[in-house]
Amino acid sequence: SLNNLALLYLNQGRYGEAEPFFKEALQLVREIRGPSHPDTLTSLNNLALLYQNQGRYGEAEPLLKQALQLGRKVFGPHHRGTLTSLHNLALLYLNLGRYGEAEPRLEEALQLAREVLGPRHPDTLQSLNNLALLYERQGRFSKAESLYQETLQLRRNELDPRHPGTLESLNNLASAYTRQGRYDKAEPLYQELLSLAPEILGPHHPHTLSAQLNNVGNLINLDRRSEALQRLREMEPQLLAWIGSELYSTEAERVRRQLVTSQAGFQNVVLTLALQEQSAAAKQLAGTLLLRWKLLQGEEEAYLARLARRSADSRVRDLAREIAALRSQLATLTRAGKNDEAAKALTVLEAKEFQLGQVSRDYQDYLRVRTANLEDVRAVLLPETGLLEFRQYQPIYFRTGKWGEPHWAALLLVGFEEPVLIDLGPVAETENQLLTLVRDTSLTESDQAAQALYQSLFSPLEPHLAKLKTVHLAPDGLLNLIPFSRLKLPDGRYWVQRQELRLLQTGRDLLRPDPDQSARGLLALGGIDFNAGGKDTQPQLSQLSPTETVILASTESAFLGPRGEAAWQDARNLTRETFRAGFKPLPATREEVDKIAEAYRKLRRDEPVETWSGIEANEPRLKALAKPPRVLHLSTHGFYLSAASAIDRPMLLSGVALAGANRALANAGQDGVLYSLEAQSLNLEGTELVALSACDTAQGRLDYGEGMYGLTRAFRIAGARQALVTLWPVNDGEARDFMIAFYRAWLDQDRSDPAAALHQTRLAYINHADPKLRDPRVWAPYVLIGQ
């Protein structure tokens, strides 16, 4: 029954719902019937098939190898289960492009299927289909076409014209014609397929959506681009709805993170077509996609966090407390290197998160932002203000079906003017310029990189940008690491000297309503005793300081990409060694929080002010906050670990040090290091600003579609509206002075606007009489994200 229900969900494309039933069925059949029972073989194949459909090939391969070995050894080569395992393993290699391993297995599977099942059995026809697919992938089109035609005819005769296998054959033969440039022969097949698939498979089924996308490519090649655009417009809400349902029905965070990535092809097609066409309708569709498709999982996580903080349902509150405790436990186990225990804790945590998502389905506020369109954003943009939304994409060459190298696309929206959609060039070029900009090079070299980066990215938009007073920037990918205020215009000025720059995670941030319950007061942590709780446990530091070491590792991880295993291993070892060396004192941070508190008391007389220092600035106390502050200020060490975690949770790779952090490093189980994963469970509902006066707090793991996994994401999920973070290491004395200047500018405003205060503070430094303060390495690392 478990397998049957899971198979039903699998056939409906409801992968997240299928997985727990497949796992439970496999566990039970092993326990009850033993590891060598035919049902065990079936369960192994079923779970592997699910993983293949999700693109999780690394998890599917060992299951299939195990199943094939079991089948051959226990049941023999002619057993149905053995045959299924062989076929599925061959298909896995086919999907991975390992054709040399796929071909002999596909040929063997077809021969055995004909002998065991007969030439017209559905499984035999599936083997025939997959061998044709291999030939097509290898460019052996005449052989592929012949087998596809044979399979389609047999499936129509032996199965049913409406059978899912028949639909697959229609799609495959049509795709083969498209790849050969025989678009007119492909069209009637696509028309037949799309008249049946939504009804038989469902409108949101991945195979339906894939067929629709293939048809779009064929229409483009037939020069029927308006029709193709209309089909894409119809697909967009269907895809978004499918991803939304999967986010709520998928337990594993790693799988949820893959959902948007899995639909990259749709986004690539939309952006490529829109950039070529430049029609109003094409730009409208591209803009809608750019606006809606970023940070989908982050939006879902923030929604659940709000639900946990604000719900009157005792079940929700209990689950929220359990999740917070499990996140802390997971962080402790990870820090202690107890990987097996951490993996078990992760499984429990994800099950609880899944359960919380099922308790309440109140989507109203959530959907209002998520279903936003360009007209909604236009309506809230002030005069002389623009939104610049970025997206990384791969151009597609419709004639060949091949993908190009990653490029940047950007949409500029200014009031009710026609949107500007433009390709900003290759991602690789930006990587090189950004690396030069953030390296510890001479000011002259850095200035040259800052001007070159502005020129390569923004020169096509210069006529439009120059007339604006304010630009909202919503970066994507490694653009999250660019200090936009530090870039230089063609006339030699810093970009921030011409207009105010405001950073968003996504353009949807402009549509978020003001919180219905505003927090009050300041809570500032500084002068923290990292050795609290015992004698000095800090060993002698190496020649490299913690900040220098961590920025090296984070920079390599964030945007250099793999440079060989040796380089990766060196970065991991260096980060671990520095982390073990402990966190050194930050003497200027005590004065920083005292001065900020003094200014807050003076200019916000009606709000409470609290400072924690020494051993009082500890992790349990922060986690136990019952009443969120309007402002949470953390003046401490931040970190980002480049090494891949033993468990796949990027929010465990960054955090901040609190009281007793050095003891926490030396003794597993001690509090003192607050990871991003834990920070997202804080109660910051109504908090206007979290200020992280620490090194590298803007760093994190970059993810396609979801941006940066790090402290900014964590604190915004926890409820904070805006986060002030740093892009690179900062000196604690310089950080103290900059933060004090920022708070004085902010608190002196008639209407609270932290972004405007940051802009004012930057300009004051740029125009300062002291040349040391005019250095962008002093003022440019600070960025404020949010709205």
Side-chain angles (χ1 to χ4, degrees), residues 373-408:
N373 56 47
L374 292 188
E375 303 312 313
D376 296 326
V377 176
R378 289 177 188 274
V380 299
L381 284 173
L382 298 174
E384 298 180 284
T385 299
L387 167 65
L388 189 54
E389 187 90 50
F390 298 91
R391 192 68 166 127
Q392 179 177 322
Y393 82 109
Q394 282 185 273
I396 181 171
Y397 302 98
F398 292 114
R399 290 288 179 184
T400 64
K402 294 182 178 179
W403 304 100
E405 293 300 312
H407 275 228
W408 296 117

Side-chain angles (χ1 to χ4, degrees), residues 163-200:
H163 190 277
T166 308
L167 302 186
E168 179 187 35
S169 288
L170 284 167
N171 182 72
N172 289 346
L173 182 56
S175 296
Y177 285 141
T178 298
R179 290 191 64 185
Q180 296 175 75
R182 300 161 70 184
Y183 310 121
D184 54 338
K185 288 188 71 67
E187 186 184 11
L189 296 173
Y190 279 129
Q191 295 303 318
E192 181 181 354
L193 173 62
L194 293 175
S195 69
L196 297 171
E199 178 186 351
I200 297 169

Side-chain angles (χ1 to χ4, degrees), residues 552-727:
L552 170 64
S554 62
T555 299
E556 297 293 340
S557 175
F559 53 81
L560 284 184
R563 300 185 305 141
E565 183 56 34
W568 277 104
Q569 192 61 44
D570 287 345
R572 292 187 187 111
N573 290 339
L574 186 57
T575 305
R576 291 191 189 101
E577 180 61 33
T578 304
F579 202 42
R580 285 197 297 269
F583 297 100
K584 64 181 181 180
L586 297 172
T589 61
R590 178 60 186 267
E591 182 182 359
E592 176 182 325
V593 297
D594 286 345
K595 291 285 188 182
I596 290 170
E598 179 184 337
Y600 208 98
R601 289 189 183 98
K602 179 180 178 181
L603 297 168
R604 294 284 188 272
R605 297 178 181 274
D606 61 333
E607 295 190 31
V609 173
E610 196 171 350
T611 60
W612 297 352
S613 60
I615 64 173
E616 294 179 340
N618 59 70
E619 185 181 351
R621 191 179 184 194
L622 184 61
K623 289 179 178 178
L625 271 180
K627 195 170 184 181
R630 177 184 179 185
V631 183
L632 174 61
H633 183 94
L634 300 175
S635 185
T636 181
H637 285 288
F639 66 87
Y640 168 61
L641 299 177
S642 65
S645 176
I647 53 174
D648 191 17
R649 274 272 169 142
M651 296 292 275
L652 279 172
L653 300 178
S654 57
V656 293
L658 298 175
N662 290 334
R663 285 180 57 79
L665 297 181
N667 303 293
Q670 294 285 328
D671 289 314
V673 177
L674 182 75
Y675 287 85
S676 296
L677 183 71
E678 300 169 285
Q680 69 186 37
S681 292
L682 296 175
N683 179 15
L684 299 179
E685 186 70 34
T687 294
E688 183 175 0
L689 175 69
V690 171
L692 296 168
S693 181
C695 298
D696 303 329
T697 48
Q699 297 283 345
R701 179 182 288 181
L702 290 168
D703 180 83
Y704 179 83
E706 287 295 310
M708 188 74 74
Y709 279 89
L711 287 163
T712 298
R713 182 187 185 94
F715 283 111
R716 296 204 70 193
I717 288 174
R721 197 167 180 84
Q722 299 174 88
L724 180 59
V725 292
T726 59
L727 288 168

Side-chain angles (χ1 to χ4, degrees), residues 460-476:
L461 293 167
E462 180 65 13
H464 305 282
L465 293 172
K467 62 185 180 180
L468 301 176
K469 288 184 178 179
T470 303
V471 180
H472 295 280
L473 299 158
D476 187 41

Side-chain angles (χ1 to χ4, degrees), residues 148-158 169:
Y148 278 144
Q149 289 175 338
E150 179 185 352
T151 308
L152 176 59
Q153 188 60 46
L154 285 169
R155 279 175 163 171
R156 277 177 165 157
N157 294 339
E158 301 299 326
S169 288

Side-chain angles (χ1 to χ4, degrees), residues 527-543:
I528 298 171
D529 183 356
F530 301 116
N531 295 314
K535 64 180 182 180
D536 189 345
T537 59
Q538 181 175 326
Q540 183 68 32
L541 292 173
S542 60
Q543 290 183 338

